[in-house]
Amino acid sequence: MAEPVPVNEANEQLGDAEPRFRIRARYTDTTVTVYQAYRPGIGGPAARSGRFPAAWKRDRMTWIKPSFLWMMYRCGWGTKEGQETVLAVDISREGFEWALRHACLSHYVPALHTDQAAWKRRLAQSPARVQWDPERDLHLNPLPYRSLQLGLAGQAAARYADEWIVGIEDVTPLATEIHGLVRAGEPERARGLLPRERPYPVADEVLAHLRA
Protein backbone atom coordinates (compact mmCIF):
# COMPACT_ATOMS: atom_id res chain seq x y z
CA MET A 1 0.00 0.00 0.00
CA ALA A 2 1.30 3.46 -0.85
CA GLU A 3 2.26 5.60 2.11
CA PRO A 4 -0.07 8.59 2.66
CA VAL A 5 1.33 11.88 1.39
CA PRO A 6 2.36 13.94 4.42
CA VAL A 7 -0.05 16.82 4.82
CA ASN A 8 2.82 19.28 5.25
CA GLU A 9 4.12 18.35 1.80
CA ALA A 10 0.75 18.66 0.15
CA ASN A 11 -0.69 21.89 1.54
CA GLU A 12 -0.67 23.60 -1.81
CA GLN A 13 -2.47 20.64 -3.41
CA LEU A 14 -5.27 20.24 -0.87
CA GLY A 15 -7.23 23.43 -1.47
CA ASP A 16 -10.97 22.96 -1.17
CA ALA A 17 -10.57 19.17 -0.81
CA GLU A 18 -9.23 19.53 2.73
CA PRO A 19 -12.02 19.54 5.36
CA ARG A 20 -12.31 22.78 7.29
CA PHE A 21 -12.04 20.95 10.61
CA ARG A 22 -9.73 17.96 10.87
CA ILE A 23 -6.91 16.97 13.21
CA ARG A 24 -3.58 16.52 11.46
CA ALA A 25 -0.68 15.16 13.49
CA ARG A 26 2.38 12.99 13.69
CA TYR A 27 1.34 9.80 15.46
CA THR A 28 2.04 6.11 16.03
CA ASP A 29 -0.24 3.28 17.08
CA THR A 30 -0.03 4.44 20.70
CA THR A 31 1.15 8.07 20.77
CA VAL A 32 0.47 11.45 19.20
CA THR A 33 2.95 14.33 19.06
CA VAL A 34 1.92 17.79 20.22
CA TYR A 35 4.00 20.97 20.40
CA GLN A 36 4.56 23.64 23.00
CA ALA A 37 7.10 26.43 23.45
CA TYR A 38 8.54 27.66 26.73
CA ARG A 39 11.32 29.78 28.15
CA PRO A 40 14.58 27.81 28.49
CA GLY A 41 14.17 27.51 32.26
CA ILE A 42 11.16 25.27 31.71
CA GLY A 43 11.77 23.82 28.27
CA GLY A 44 15.33 22.69 28.92
CA PRO A 45 14.66 20.68 32.11
CA ALA A 46 11.49 19.22 30.56
CA ALA A 47 13.40 17.89 27.55
CA ARG A 48 16.20 16.49 29.71
CA SER A 49 13.99 14.68 32.21
CA GLY A 50 10.92 13.90 30.13
CA ARG A 51 8.75 15.68 32.71
CA PHE A 52 7.87 19.29 33.38
CA PRO A 53 9.83 20.87 36.25
CA ALA A 54 8.32 22.32 39.40
CA ALA A 55 8.36 25.79 37.80
CA TRP A 56 5.70 24.60 35.33
CA LYS A 57 2.39 25.96 36.61
CA ARG A 58 -0.23 23.25 37.00
CA ASP A 59 -2.93 25.72 37.93
CA ARG A 60 -2.75 27.48 34.55
CA MET A 61 -4.30 26.33 31.30
CA THR A 62 -1.71 24.83 28.98
CA TRP A 63 -2.28 24.70 25.22
CA ILE A 64 -1.00 21.84 23.08
CA LYS A 65 -0.86 21.91 19.27
CA PRO A 66 -0.56 18.88 16.95
CA SER A 67 0.49 21.15 14.06
CA PHE A 68 4.22 21.92 13.88
CA LEU A 69 3.73 24.87 11.52
CA TRP A 70 1.00 26.40 13.66
CA MET A 71 3.39 26.18 16.59
CA MET A 72 6.03 27.91 14.48
CA TYR A 73 3.53 30.67 13.74
CA ARG A 74 2.73 31.00 17.43
CA CYS A 75 6.33 31.08 18.68
CA GLY A 76 7.95 32.78 15.67
CA TRP A 77 10.19 29.79 14.98
CA GLY A 78 11.34 29.93 18.60
CA THR A 79 12.34 33.59 18.51
CA LYS A 80 9.58 35.11 20.66
CA GLU A 81 10.41 35.99 24.23
CA GLY A 82 9.36 33.26 26.63
CA GLN A 83 8.94 30.77 23.77
CA GLU A 84 12.58 30.15 22.86
CA THR A 85 12.51 26.39 23.54
CA VAL A 86 10.22 24.41 21.25
CA LEU A 87 9.15 21.03 22.58
CA ALA A 88 7.71 18.01 20.79
CA VAL A 89 5.73 16.15 23.43
CA ASP A 90 4.68 12.56 22.74
CA ILE A 91 1.52 11.72 24.67
CA SER A 92 -0.72 8.67 24.72
CA ARG A 93 -3.49 8.61 22.17
CA GLU A 94 -5.79 7.44 24.95
CA GLY A 95 -5.10 10.62 26.92
CA PHE A 96 -5.38 12.85 23.86
CA GLU A 97 -8.78 11.43 22.99
CA TRP A 98 -9.94 11.64 26.61
CA ALA A 99 -9.23 15.36 26.45
CA LEU A 100 -11.20 15.71 23.21
CA ARG A 101 -14.17 13.85 24.67
CA HIS A 102 -14.17 16.10 27.74
CA ALA A 103 -13.54 19.37 25.90
CA CYS A 104 -15.78 22.30 25.12
CA LEU A 105 -15.40 24.82 22.32
CA SER A 106 -13.78 28.03 23.51
CA HIS A 107 -16.53 30.09 21.86
CA TYR A 108 -20.31 29.91 21.57
CA VAL A 109 -21.79 28.25 18.46
CA PRO A 110 -25.62 28.38 18.21
CA ALA A 111 -25.78 25.13 16.22
CA LEU A 112 -23.99 23.22 18.97
CA HIS A 113 -25.28 24.87 22.15
CA THR A 114 -28.83 25.51 23.34
CA ASP A 115 -27.94 29.06 24.31
CA GLN A 116 -25.00 31.07 25.61
CA ALA A 117 -25.83 30.21 29.20
CA ALA A 118 -25.66 26.48 28.42
CA TRP A 119 -22.33 26.94 26.64
CA LYS A 120 -20.91 28.90 29.58
CA ARG A 121 -21.99 26.16 32.01
CA ARG A 122 -20.31 23.50 29.91
CA LEU A 123 -17.19 25.61 29.48
CA ALA A 124 -16.92 26.08 33.25
CA GLN A 125 -17.32 22.34 33.85
CA SER A 126 -14.95 21.13 31.11
CA PRO A 127 -11.29 20.36 31.94
CA ALA A 128 -10.33 20.95 28.30
CA ARG A 129 -11.27 23.39 25.57
CA VAL A 130 -10.82 23.49 21.83
CA GLN A 131 -10.34 26.24 19.32
CA TRP A 132 -9.71 25.93 15.60
CA ASP A 133 -7.31 28.42 14.08
CA PRO A 134 -6.17 28.73 10.45
CA GLU A 135 -3.49 26.19 9.58
CA ARG A 136 -0.25 27.72 8.29
CA ASP A 137 1.94 27.07 5.29
CA LEU A 138 5.73 27.02 5.24
CA HIS A 139 5.82 30.82 5.16
CA LEU A 140 3.34 30.92 8.07
CA ASN A 141 0.58 32.34 5.90
CA PRO A 142 -2.98 31.23 6.81
CA LEU A 143 -4.57 28.38 4.89
CA PRO A 144 -8.32 27.97 4.26
CA TYR A 145 -8.68 25.08 6.72
CA ARG A 146 -8.26 24.91 10.46
CA SER A 147 -5.76 23.50 12.96
CA LEU A 148 -6.69 22.15 16.38
CA GLN A 149 -5.53 23.89 19.56
CA LEU A 150 -6.33 21.95 22.73
CA GLY A 151 -6.31 23.73 26.09
CA LEU A 152 -5.88 21.65 29.25
CA ALA A 153 -6.76 22.79 32.76
CA GLY A 154 -7.46 21.23 36.13
CA GLN A 155 -7.82 17.47 35.87
CA ALA A 156 -6.74 17.44 32.22
CA ALA A 157 -3.54 19.41 32.90
CA ALA A 158 -2.67 17.08 35.79
CA ARG A 159 -3.26 13.98 33.68
CA TYR A 160 -1.21 15.47 30.87
CA ALA A 161 1.77 16.13 33.13
CA ASP A 162 1.60 12.97 35.24
CA GLU A 163 0.06 10.25 33.05
CA TRP A 164 -0.05 10.99 29.33
CA ILE A 165 3.50 12.10 28.55
CA VAL A 166 5.64 9.38 27.00
CA GLY A 167 8.58 11.57 25.99
CA ILE A 168 9.67 15.17 25.43
CA GLU A 169 12.15 16.32 22.79
CA ASP A 170 13.71 19.75 22.29
CA VAL A 171 13.09 20.49 18.61
CA THR A 172 14.36 24.06 18.70
CA PRO A 173 17.34 23.15 16.47
CA LEU A 174 14.94 21.69 13.90
CA ALA A 175 12.80 24.84 13.97
CA THR A 176 15.90 26.99 13.52
CA GLU A 177 17.15 24.88 10.61
CA ILE A 178 13.84 24.91 8.77
CA HIS A 179 13.43 28.64 9.35
CA GLY A 180 16.92 29.24 7.98
CA LEU A 181 16.14 27.32 4.80
CA VAL A 182 12.89 29.22 4.32
CA ARG A 183 14.70 32.54 4.70
CA ALA A 184 17.39 31.35 2.29
CA GLY A 185 14.79 30.70 -0.40
CA GLU A 186 15.04 26.90 -0.23
CA PRO A 187 11.45 25.84 0.48
CA GLU A 188 11.79 22.31 -0.89
CA ARG A 189 14.68 21.51 1.44
CA ALA A 190 12.78 23.11 4.31
CA ARG A 191 9.64 21.14 3.51
CA GLY A 192 11.61 17.91 3.52
CA LEU A 193 12.53 18.46 7.17
CA LEU A 194 9.00 19.02 8.42
CA PRO A 195 7.50 16.40 10.76
CA ARG A 196 5.31 13.98 8.83
CA GLU A 197 1.75 14.92 9.74
CA ARG A 198 -1.27 12.94 8.56
CA PRO A 199 -5.01 13.12 9.20
CA TYR A 200 -5.52 11.74 12.69
CA PRO A 201 -8.01 8.85 12.83
CA VAL A 202 -10.67 9.73 15.37
CA ALA A 203 -14.34 8.76 15.46
CA ASP A 204 -16.78 11.40 14.23
CA GLU A 205 -18.65 11.30 17.53
CA VAL A 206 -15.50 12.40 19.37
CA LEU A 207 -15.38 15.66 17.38
CA ALA A 208 -19.09 16.19 16.78
CA HIS A 209 -19.42 18.62 19.70
CA LEU A 210 -16.24 20.46 18.73
CA ARG A 211 -16.72 21.40 15.07
CA ALA A 212 -17.37 25.13 15.10
Side-chain angles (χ1 to χ4, degrees), residues 36-38 56-65 74 102-106 122-131 149-158 160:
Q36 296 191 288
Y38 290 99
W56 188 79
K57 302 298 184 183
R58 292 170 172 266
D59 57 348
R60 295 175 58 183
M61 178 164 289
T62 188
W63 289 87
I64 58 177
K65 299 103 175 158
R74 180 68 179 84
H102 291 82
C104 177
L105 274 177
S106 61
R122 176 156 188 172
L123 187 67
Q125 297 166 358
S126 299
R129 63 184 58 179
V130 159
Q131 62 185 51
Q149 322 303 324
L150 182 58
L152 309 174
Q155 181 185 9
Y160 171 63

Side-chain angles (χ1 to χ4, degrees), residues 1 11 19 24 46 72 76 79 135 137 139 142 171 181 185 203 205 208:
M1 177 181 291
N11 279 340
R24 292 165 295 274
M72 295 306 98
T79 64
E135 180 59 286
D137 66 15
H139 299 280
V171 293
L181 289 170
E205 53 92 7

Side-chain angles (χ1 to χ4, degrees), residues 121-186:
R121 285 194 299 271
R122 176 156 188 172
L123 187 67
Q125 297 166 358
S126 299
R129 63 184 58 179
V130 159
Q131 62 185 51
W132 300 90
D133 295 307
E135 180 59 286
R136 301 285 158 165
D137 66 15
L138 194 58
H139 299 280
L140 306 186
N141 297 313
L143 292 166
Y145 47 92
R146 300 276 168 157
S147 178
L148 176 83
Q149 322 303 324
L150 182 58
L152 309 174
Q155 181 185 9
R159 288 190 176 203
Y160 171 63
D162 298 332
E163 302 174 18
W164 301 346
I165 294 176
V166 175
I168 302 177
E169 179 184 2
D170 183 349
V171 293
T172 311
L174 176 64
T176 301
E177 183 177 6
I178 295 174
H179 186 208
L181 289 170
V182 173
R183 295 182 66 184
E186 300 186 58

Side-chain angles (χ1 to χ4, degrees), residues 7 23-27 32-34 66-67 96 196-200:
V7 172
I23 300 171
R24 292 165 295 274
R26 187 178 78 175
Y27 61 89
V32 57
T33 301
V34 296
S67 166
F96 181 65
R196 299 175 67 84
E197 295 173 5
R198 296 173 289 152
Y200 182 81

